[in-house]
Amino acid sequence: MIYDAHAHLHEFLDSRIKEFIKEIIIVGVSDDYPSSRRTLELSNEYGNIVPCVGIHPWNVDKVGLDELRQIERVVSEAGCIGEVGLDRRFVPQTFNRQLEFFRVFVSLAKDYDLPLNIHAPDAWRDTLDFVRREDVNKVLFHWYTGPLNLIQEIKDYGYYISINAAIRIQEKSRVVAREAPLDMILLESDGPYEYRGITLEPPMVREAASIVAEIKGISVEDLWDKVAYNFSKLFRIKV
Ligand SMILES: [Zn+2]
């Protein structure tokens, strides 16, 4: 099996999901309450899915606080909380409301001892400080393209980053892959997000693995062994 640490499975057709999970164990993140419900249903219906519930920082101005309460009611069924976080790059105008939502998700992560699947463009430092201050145990910084000098700090706290399949065209992801130690690296697609004309999909983690293995100077098999181990520690599954 191979591993995708961050995909929006709720946006794919069932027929595609069935294909994916034959060879990929996928962390399915959610964007709001309806997609959280859908992700939980998918994980009950199909194997090989780690369901995350949450409200994406891009949605905090589109939903009411009651939606947070709805998520709280289903969080015990989840294996992870996400996609949640802070974003100063794409939606800086809602930053204060993002903080309000993120605070709730961080406390749920602690109460239920669940990993956080975090989105933090241009808010990497804010987010890291936040989870540290709150003493959160398990954190993934998804599609990490933040400052290189934060990587070691993230690792020292025992947190992880995921490198996106966009590494085939995104130079910053290559730089991050070079810099980050293997024992903090996961891979992800963020499918079906569209990045510079490419629709990302879970099977693309395979190519990402070859690129990262080449950068690291190890075999693809060894790379997957490392990633599988990191995945199992973060999401508490047997590999
Ligand atoms: Zn995402």
Side-chain angles (χ1 to χ4, degrees):
M1 297 301 287
I2 58 175
Y3 301 85
D4 182 344
H6 182 112
H8 298 256
L9 278 182
H10 60 92
E11 293 184 48
F12 286 96
L13 293 173
D14 280 54
S15 55
R16 297 303 314 284
I17 296 169
K18 279 187 217 163
E19 272 170 45
F20 299 156
I21 57 160
K22 281 183 198 156
E23 55 169 11
I24 314 170
I25 296 177
I26 303 172
V27 178
V29 294
S30 304
D31 299 334
D32 51 17
Y33 178 65
S35 56
S36 295
R37 288 296 303 266
R38 171 82 182 133
T39 305
L40 289 170
E41 278 166 25
L42 287 171
S43 84
N44 287 330
E45 194 161 345
Y46 307 114
N48 294 343
I49 297 172
V50 179
C52 311
V53 298
I55 297 172
H56 196 290
W58 293 353
N59 286 337
V60 297
D61 56 339
K62 299 183 187 83
V63 302
L65 290 173
D66 55 315
E67 204 156 311
L68 274 174
R69 305 284 95 80
Q70 290 177 300
I71 301 240
E72 281 177 22
R73 283 198 286 273
V74 295
V75 72
S76 64
E77 300 166 43
C80 150
I81 294 178
E83 176 167 358
V84 299
L86 302 171
D87 183 337
R88 289 186 186 275
R89 187 189 305 163
F90 299 104
V91 286
Q93 69 281 6
T94 62
F95 195 75
N96 286 336
R97 192 161 166 93
Q98 291 173 39
L99 272 173
E100 208 177 326
F101 278 64
F102 189 52
R103 195 167 289 125
V104 173
F105 288 123
V106 166
S107 87
L108 284 176
K110 288 171 62 180
D111 291 350
Y112 289 84
D113 195 19
L114 291 172
L116 283 169
N117 205 312
I118 285 184
H119 165 109
D122 291 351
W124 307 103
R125 166 55 73 189
D126 308 76
T127 320
L128 178 60
D129 287 349
F130 200 124
V131 293
R132 271 314 295 160
R133 218 169 32 238
E134 296 297 323
D135 208 17
V136 182
N137 255 330
K138 292 192 158 62
V139 178
L140 173 69
F141 289 89
H142 120 79
W143 200 329
Y144 189 81
T145 51
L148 297 181
N149 61 13
L150 273 194
I151 292 177
Q152 190 58 43
E153 204 175 324
I154 291 171
K155 184 188 149 20
D156 290 345
Y157 295 136
Y159 299 155
Y160 297 84
I161 61 167
S162 50
I163 293 175
N164 189 273
I167 190 169
R168 68 196 242 204
I169 53 168
Q170 188 182 40
E171 180 55 27
K172 182 65 188 259
S173 284
R174 287 176 189 260
V175 177
V176 168
R178 214 166 288 136
E179 192 72 20
L182 273 169
D183 51 5
M184 70 181 301
I185 290 180
L186 294 170
L187 300 174
E188 59 148 87
S189 67
D190 204 15
Y193 187 72
E194 199 172 311
Y195 178 74
R196 287 166 53 193
I198 298 173
T199 303
L200 297 163
E201 291 192 344
M204 292 179 185
V205 294
R206 200 179 285 285
E207 188 188 2
S210 316
I211 297 169
V212 174
E214 198 186 320
I215 289 171
K216 293 299 195 192
I218 60 171
S219 69
V220 178
E221 292 71 29
D222 286 349
L223 192 269
W224 276 124
D225 281 350
K226 293 275 188 192
V227 170
Y229 180 73
N230 297 342
F231 192 100
S232 71
K233 277 183 74 181
L234 180 58
F235 296 108
R236 283 197 204 97
I237 57 152
K238 275 207 180 115
V239 298

